[in-house]
Amino acid sequence: MNSLLIGELSPEQPSFEPTKNKELISEFRELQATVERMGLMKANRVFFLLYLLHILLLDVAAWLTLWVFGTSFVPFLLCAVLLSTAQAQAGWLQHDFGHLSVFSTSTWNHVFHHFVIGHLKGAPASWWNHLHFQHHAKPNCFRKDPDINMHPFLFALGKILSVELGKQKKKYMPYNHQHKYFFLVGPPALLPLYFQWYIFYFVFRRKKWVDLAWMISFYARISLTYMPLLGLKGLLVLFFVVRFLESNWFVWVTQMNHIPMHIDHDQNKDWVSTQLQATCNVHKSAFNDWFSGHLNFQIEHHLFPTMPRHNYHKVAPLVRSLCAKHGIEYQSKPLFSAFADIVYSLKESGQLWLDAYLHQ
């Protein structure tokens, strides 16, 4: 590190930046040590094995539905629902492996990450890592979190950025109607119309040939199993129906914890404060845990990104106590309230943009 040394602070200079909460950081480090002692960073391998098996069973059940009952509308629709469920759940499982939260060695996590996201879903692991690690480093920080790159070209996000956009007299879209067109260009379109072509662009541009091989194995498996039953046209219809259903599931779940929260330029706050102001939770229930892949515990996930998901609920009371001590709001809400808050926040930020655009 000597080559990076610029100089030494003089004794009278502060060693901690004024934008960062020194006491909060210190107490969070104590919490981290407590979590380690409690064994909450160790995964229950049986949990993840059963989770993988339930995904594989859903995948097989989807194919069996067509093979046993034929390819008429009702079996076709049931097959699409089962396959979409398998794809969504595989999305949550690859997230676990991508965060290295299952195995004690990174090698095995990477192997299973490639298998789940590559072979079961047809997407590149390197693409997910590239985007998701940036998101965790600076969640909801404009120009640093790729998950909010839809601002300002599609949506005006956050109160501060929306007003700033209005003052600059910028209008890429009619943002005051964004809570309406969100239903057209958000949940239904992200996976089938954007991600589907961008992942191939990504692997070819960056020469990720291992990822491409895993992706090809997915498309070969889907083609070999479904084309004899549906033909090429039927397979393409099924594929895009599945991506459409999965896209709605994915967008509502992933955005319910972030879009309604604080969105701004990077304010150089301490890491804990940065995570807490950008995340909220959805109440725990067996269904909510399964439906969201335990991302209903988004606060705990962002504070402990390598923690196995089945332990989030155990650390949640400790995190809540830490937030209460420091006067930080710990938000947890019902599932459908969280969905509604996405729309409400888009409506509010769109109106703030319009007021600033017209009057400031």
Side-chain angles (χ1 to χ4, degrees):
M1 300 293 287
N2 288 335
S3 62
L4 301 178
L5 177 64
I6 296 174
E8 299 282 351
L9 286 173
S10 59
E12 69 274 9
Q13 291 295 319
S15 60
F16 211 85
E17 295 173 275
T19 56
K20 298 180 178 179
N21 189 331
K22 186 175 183 179
E23 184 181 354
L24 176 62
I25 289 293
S26 176
E27 293 193 21
F28 179 71
R29 285 173 178 164
E30 292 178 9
L31 176 58
Q32 283 181 308
T34 300
V35 165
E36 290 280 359
R37 287 195 300 271
M38 294 172 66
L40 298 183
M41 302 304 290
K42 295 180 180 178
N44 180 346
R45 307 280 172 74
V46 175
F47 171 88
F48 290 103
L49 174 62
L50 292 175
Y51 204 90
L52 175 59
L53 288 176
H54 111 281
I55 292 169
L56 297 177
L57 286 173
L58 285 167
D59 210 317
V60 172
W63 181 83
L64 284 174
T65 300
L66 294 182
W67 186 68
V68 173
F69 299 105
T71 59
S72 59
F73 178 75
V74 173
F76 182 90
L77 184 60
L78 180 57
C79 170
V81 170
L82 289 169
L83 202 52
S84 300
T85 304
Q87 287 291 294
Q89 292 299 323
W92 309 143
L93 183 59
Q94 68 82 22
H95 179 263
D96 297 310
F97 291 119
H99 273 286
L100 312 181
S101 63
V102 180
F103 295 100
S104 56
T105 62
S106 60
T107 300
W108 281 109
N109 281 298
H110 288 314
V111 168
F112 276 85
H113 190 212
H114 277 292
F115 171 74
V116 176
I117 196 173
H119 182 68
L120 296 185
K121 289 189 60 60
S126 58
W127 161 76
W128 183 88
N129 290 333
H130 173 72
L131 295 177
H132 201 66
F133 291 172
Q134 293 178 74
H135 164 69
H136 270 269
K138 293 288 184 177
N140 282 8
C141 291
F142 183 48
R143 303 286 188 202
K144 295 187 176 182
D145 179 2
D147 284 10
I148 59 169
N149 278 350
M150 68 281 272
H151 176 94
F153 299 110
L154 282 178
F155 300 101
L157 299 177
K159 299 176 183 179
I160 296 170
L161 295 180
S162 298
V163 172
E164 179 184 273
L165 202 63
K167 288 180 178 179
Q168 295 170 351
K169 308 303 178 186
K170 291 184 178 180
K171 181 184 179 181
Y172 298 100
M173 294 286 283
Y175 303 120
N176 50 311
H177 296 290
Q178 64 183 4
H179 59 291
K180 302 171 187 174
Y181 66 72
F182 170 76
F183 289 92
L184 297 176
V185 302
L190 182 65
L191 266 63
L193 297 184
Y194 178 63
F195 279 180
Q196 193 56 51
W197 70 265
Y198 185 76
I199 55 177
F200 283 98
Y201 169 78
F202 182 93
V203 294
F204 279 106
R205 183 180 180 185
R206 293 176 180 255
K207 298 181 172 62
K208 299 294 184 179
W209 308 130
V210 172
D211 279 321
L212 181 61
W214 280 106
M215 293 166 66
I216 290 172
S217 76
F218 164 80
Y219 289 102
R221 175 174 61 86
I222 291 294
S223 299
L224 290 172
T225 51
Y226 283 97
M227 201 177 297
L229 298 175
L230 296 170
L232 177 60
K233 183 179 178 181
L235 172 61
L236 291 175
V237 172
L238 175 65
F239 182 78
F240 282 101
V241 168
V242 168
R243 284 290 183 251
F244 169 81
L245 295 174
E246 181 195 358
S247 186
N248 280 274
W249 190 333
F250 172 82
V251 171
W252 286 106
V253 168
T254 57
Q255 300 310 306
M256 68 184 183
N257 307 108
H258 293 299
I259 292 297
M261 302 303 291
H262 183 78
I263 301 175
D264 197 359
H265 297 279
D266 184 9
Q267 300 299 309
N268 192 35
K269 292 189 176 183
D270 59 88
W271 186 80
V272 178
S273 298
T274 299
Q275 306 303 318
L276 289 172
Q277 72 179 6
T279 53
C280 66
N281 279 7
V282 167
H283 296 338
K284 175 178 174 54
S285 72
F287 176 79
N288 288 354
D289 293 354
W290 175 83
F291 184 77
S292 67
H294 287 85
L295 294 181
N296 50 327
F297 287 96
Q298 193 72 214
I299 295 172
E300 287 70 28
H301 171 59
H302 267 257
L303 291 176
F304 303 96
T306 59
M307 178 181 286
R309 64 158 99 165
H310 51 71
N311 287 334
Y312 292 156
H313 73 281
K314 297 177 182 178
V315 76
L318 302 177
V319 174
R320 190 186 291 269
S321 297
L322 181 68
C323 290
K325 181 176 181 180
H326 290 272
I328 300 171
E329 185 180 9
Y330 181 102
Q331 286 192 43
S332 184
K333 58 188 79 169
L335 180 64
F336 287 101
S337 296
F339 290 166
D341 282 348
I342 299 174
V343 181
Y344 292 148
S345 65
L346 288 174
K347 183 177 182 181
E348 180 184 22
S349 57
Q351 190 59 48
L352 288 170
W353 166 82
L354 183 63
D355 291 343
Y357 187 85
L358 295 177
H359 306 300
Q360 295 187 40

